[in-house]
Amino acid sequence: MRELIKMVVVLTVLTAASGGLLAGVRDATKEKIELQVLNFVQGPVLKQMFTKASNDMIADRFTLQDGKEAIVLFPVAVDGKVRYVAFNSSGKGGFGGDVGLMVGVDIESGKIISAGVTTHSETPGIGSRAKTEPDLVGRFVGLAANQEFKVKGDGGQIDAISGATVTSRGVCNAATSAGQRYGRLETEIKNKTGNL
């Protein structure tokens, strides 16, 4: 009995120490990981989306709270005036998992001005074309952000990529989620970007 208690105590101490160590490593690397995502995942997509931006979108980013989630927003200035805001969204329903989508919205009109896939786990050469070929995300440009997006085969307004309908659905879900988020944060975004 004494050996059993000793073993339980040792395992408990080792588990607690391992958990504490992992939490410490996570906390110590969190900021560096976020910076790497900004510089190597979201930053290049932002630059492709807004080639005429006159500000440093990453340096000017700000955070707003959407429920329990902190959302990073990237103001986009043209000729010194903030006209658009971009933020990342995620859509379920992709073939390999969630599809990450950066969506740019015209602050004045509420219309999507640009979009770009940031992350995905789709099949190379098929679903991955959502990121490499701008045709799909280009179909959202000029549409009001606050609507539900669906592929035409599901009764919606977006032409799916040929052979990658499932991935297209994931992108539509991400765009829908982005529009809903913009609707919830629109007033705060206008207040914040008016003061930048």
Side-chain angles (χ1 to χ4, degrees), residues 82-95:
V82 176
R83 297 187 57 196
Y84 317 118
V85 66
F87 52 96
N88 203 49
S89 182
S90 181
K92 297 199 177 302
F95 189 76

Side-chain angles (χ1 to χ4, degrees), residues 22-96:
L22 287 173
V25 169
R26 184 195 66 199
D27 290 344
T29 59
K30 182 180 178 184
E31 198 170 298
K32 289 180 181 177
I33 291 171
E34 288 174 355
L35 189 61
Q36 295 297 316
V37 169
L38 282 172
N39 288 331
F40 297 107
V41 177
Q42 296 176 343
V45 174
L46 281 168
K47 287 179 182 173
Q48 285 179 341
M49 290 169 57
F50 299 103
T51 56
K52 295 182 179 177
S54 60
N55 65 320
D56 184 338
M57 297 171 282
I58 291 178
D60 293 342
R61 71 187 185 277
F62 60 92
T63 303
L64 291 177
Q65 201 68 29
D66 183 20
K68 293 182 179 179
E69 193 175 357
I71 306 301
V72 177
L73 295 109
F74 304 92
V76 182
V78 177
D79 297 328
K81 180 182 177 188
V82 176
R83 297 187 57 196
Y84 317 118
V85 66
F87 52 96
N88 203 49
S89 182
S90 181
K92 297 199 177 302
F95 189 76

Side-chain angles (χ1 to χ4, degrees), residues 70-168:
I71 306 301
V72 177
L73 295 109
F74 304 92
V76 182
V78 177
D79 297 328
K81 180 182 177 188
V82 176
R83 297 187 57 196
Y84 317 118
V85 66
F87 52 96
N88 203 49
S89 182
S90 181
K92 297 199 177 302
F95 189 76
D98 293 354
V99 177
L101 184 70
M102 184 70 71
V103 177
V105 179
D106 184 319
I107 295 171
E108 192 172 309
S109 70
K111 292 182 177 178
I112 294 175
I113 189 74
S114 187
V117 172
T118 53
T119 57
H120 67 83
S121 300
E122 303 304 290
T123 306
I126 303 174
S128 66
R129 290 183 294 151
K131 181 174 176 67
T132 57
E133 298 176 10
D135 288 354
L136 175 63
V137 292
R139 295 169 187 154
F140 295 94
V141 174
L143 300 177
N146 62 348
Q147 62 180 300
E148 183 178 10
F149 296 101
K150 290 182 178 179
V151 296
K152 285 187 175 176
D154 295 337
Q157 65 284 62
I158 303 296
D159 284 317
I161 298 175
S162 178
T165 302
V166 175
T167 302
S168 301

